[in-house]
């Protein structure tokens, strides 16, 4: 990209493109999986772009990383083993590290360049890797999950890019089946589930796959992220058969709780009220998702 403006042009959101003013291009590289760019924007801090798609900005990453992490983890009590798929920047790790109950945090990110770039340019996200409970696996999340013994994890967070490129299979039914297998009874998964404004057809497929695979609860939540396409992004929350999980009513209050990792600072976005509110859907989305 050139100094000037970055526009996020992509067939997944035809006819529109959000733009950010570029102050300086800090990194451009090509990994085995994707093009990796970091630039300093005028108003959103540093920005990570993969294959032309914004993955995060320093200014609004809290809205995404806190919601994708705390909605599932506050819906169960005392999570001990947590798996993150994707999320190579470390932001979700940073959020998981707040829980003192957690004993093991595994992460499987496909692209080592994302991890290296994050450690160089996004220290507030890469701080997640400093937690001694974290084990990093560099590889494909689909293959990783196939080898996880049944019932291993209390929670799995799928912080994945869009279904064009290396994340394609992370939106398909066989992947959800391995997720369900890797969770304990009553365990929870939260996956990045696109925008109600742009991707109702994708969401409809995810919901229908998840209803078949997960015998506990299946719910859709969403949040605002100004630099994601259409300014909103959603999450698919599912639990396996076992102790029932009511995602809309958190059983743990992380904003009042002691923060086991003092180096990451207070929550910026998530609280118990916004957790519950995230499940209120506009009527057009409710018709598709709840039908
Ligand atoms: N937390 C930042 C938000 C992201 S990052 C998504 C990550 O998923 C990327 O680092 C990418 O390399 C990784 N990834 C993609 N495919 C796989 C795979 N098969 N296995 C493991 N990791 C993978 C998401 C931004 C959402 C953007 C919305 N438009």
């Amino acid at each position: 990209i050139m100094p000037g403006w970055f526009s996020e042009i992509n067939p997944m959101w035809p006819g529109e493109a959000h733009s950010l003013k570029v102050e300086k291009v800090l990194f451009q590289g090509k990994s085995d999986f994707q093009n990796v760019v970091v630039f300093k924007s005028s108003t959103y801090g540093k920005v990570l772009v993969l294959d032309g798609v914004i993955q995060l900005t320093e200014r609004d990453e809290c809205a995404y990383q806190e919601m994708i992490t705390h909605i599932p983890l506050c819906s169960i009590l005392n999570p001990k083993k947590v798996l993150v798929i994707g999320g190579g920047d470390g932001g979700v790790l940073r959020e998981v590290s707040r829980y003192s109950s957690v004993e093991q945090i595994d992460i499987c990110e496909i692209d080592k360049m994302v991890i290296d770039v994050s450690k160089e340019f996004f220290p507030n996200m890469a701080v997640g890797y400093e937690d001694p409970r974290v084990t990093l696996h560099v590889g494909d999340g689909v293959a990783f999950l196939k080898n996880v013994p049944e019932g291993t994890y209390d929670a799995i967070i799928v912080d994945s890019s869009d279904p064009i490129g290396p994340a394609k299979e992370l939106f398909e039914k066989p992947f959800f089946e391995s997720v369900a297998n890797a969770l304990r009874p009553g365990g929870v998964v939260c996956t990045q589930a696109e925008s109600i404004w742009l991707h109702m057809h994708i969401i409809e497929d995810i919901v229908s796959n998840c209803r078949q695979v997960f015998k506990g609860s299946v719910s859709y939540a969403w949040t605002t992220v100004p630099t994601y396409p259409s300014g909103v992004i959603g999450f698919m929350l599912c639990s396996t058969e076992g102790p029932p999980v009511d995602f809309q009513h958190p059983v743990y209050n992380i904003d009042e709780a002691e923060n086991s990792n003092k180096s990451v600072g207070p929550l910026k976005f998530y609280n118990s009220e916004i957790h519950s509110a995230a499940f209120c859907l506009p009527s057009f989305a409710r018709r598709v998702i709840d039908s």
Side-chain angles (χ1 to χ4, degrees), residues 160-182:
S160 105
S161 30
D162 299 314
I164 292 184
K168 186 174 175 288
E169 284 181 66
L170 302 179
F171 291 78
E172 293 169 0
K173 194 173 171 192
F175 175 73
F176 293 121
E177 283 165 345
S178 0
V179 168
N181 177 69

Side-chain angles (χ1 to χ4, degrees), residues 8 13 34 48 50 53-56 64-65 85-89 91-92 108-111 114 139-142 159-162 165-168 170 192 194 228-229 233:
E8 192 186 41
W13 36 93
Q34 49 209 349
L48 173 66
L50 299 178
V53 176
I54 294 177
Q55 305 295 301
L56 59 88
Y64 176 78
Q65 327 255 33
I85 299 290
D89 53 89
V92 170
C108 179
E109 159 66 48
I110 202 167
D111 195 342
V114 173
D140 180 9
V142 176
D159 176 14
S160 105
S161 30
D162 299 314
K168 186 174 175 288
L170 302 179
Q192 193 271 89
E194 301 299 348
Y228 281 168
I233 197 155

Side-chain angles (χ1 to χ4, degrees), residues 15-265:
E16 62 185 280
H18 187 244
S19 300
L20 290 173
K21 191 157 197 249
V22 178
E23 233 165 54
K24 192 170 188 229
V25 178
L26 301 171
F27 179 89
Q28 293 197 78
K30 190 165 169 36
S31 74
D32 292 342
F33 303 96
Q34 49 209 349
N35 281 306
V36 181
V37 169
V38 179
F39 70 87
K40 173 93 170 67
S41 66
S42 308
T43 52
Y44 277 83
K46 284 180 229 161
V47 183
L48 173 66
V49 180
L50 299 178
D51 280 347
V53 176
I54 294 177
Q55 305 295 301
L56 59 88
T57 81
E58 288 181 309
R59 179 166 157 195
D60 64 7
E61 56 90 11
C62 59
Y64 176 78
Q65 327 255 33
E66 291 185 15
M67 292 295 268
I68 199 174
T69 307
H70 302 306
I71 293 180
L73 293 186
C74 288
S75 296
I76 55 175
L77 286 171
N78 299 315
K80 289 190 174 64
K81 293 187 181 184
V82 179
L83 171 65
V84 180
I85 299 290
D89 53 89
V92 170
L93 296 177
R94 177 194 70 203
E95 294 308 315
V96 177
S97 77
R98 295 180 187 276
Y99 293 78
S100 50
S101 67
V102 170
E103 295 165 358
Q104 178 184 333
I105 310 172
D106 294 334
I107 175 167
C108 179
E109 159 66 48
I110 202 167
D111 195 342
K112 184 167 184 297
M113 192 179 280
V114 173
I115 300 162
D116 294 342
V117 154
S118 181
K119 287 183 175 166
E120 186 171 352
F121 297 103
F122 298 97
N124 292 333
M125 269 146 283
V127 64
Y129 286 101
E130 285 165 29
D131 191 300
R133 296 168 291 182
V134 170
T135 304
L136 168 64
H137 306 261
V138 177
D140 180 9
V142 176
F144 180 87
L145 266 165
K146 281 188 189 143
N147 295 315
V148 172
E150 199 181 321
T152 300
Y153 294 105
D154 299 289
I156 298 177
I157 297 166
V158 187
D159 176 14
S160 105
S161 30
D162 299 314
I164 292 184
K168 186 174 175 288
E169 284 181 66
L170 302 179
F171 291 78
E172 293 169 0
K173 194 173 171 192
F175 175 73
F176 293 121
E177 283 165 345
S178 0
V179 168
N181 177 69
L183 286 170
R184 62 145 165 98
V188 294
V189 59
C190 180
T191 84
Q192 193 271 89
E194 301 299 348
S195 159
I196 51 173
W197 286 113
L198 298 169
H199 304 121
M200 253 356 266
H201 52 290
I202 300 178
I203 297 169
E204 207 176 344
D205 285 352
I206 300 176
V207 170
S208 121
N209 284 332
C210 286
R211 285 239 170 80
Q212 293 167 46
V213 171
F214 295 95
K215 306 294 181 208
S217 24
V218 174
S219 312
Y220 189 87
W222 59 296
T223 188
T224 139
V225 181
T227 59
Y228 281 168
S230 81
V232 305
I233 197 155
F235 309 106
M236 195 75 236
L237 279 301
C238 309
S239 69
T240 51
E241 192 167 20
V245 176
D246 176 2
F247 285 112
Q248 195 161 0
H249 299 101
V251 292
Y252 185 69
N253 193 335
I254 182 87
D255 38 316
E256 281 175 9
E258 198 198 332
N259 181 343
S260 84
N261 186 340
K262 305 273 188 246
S263 64
V264 303

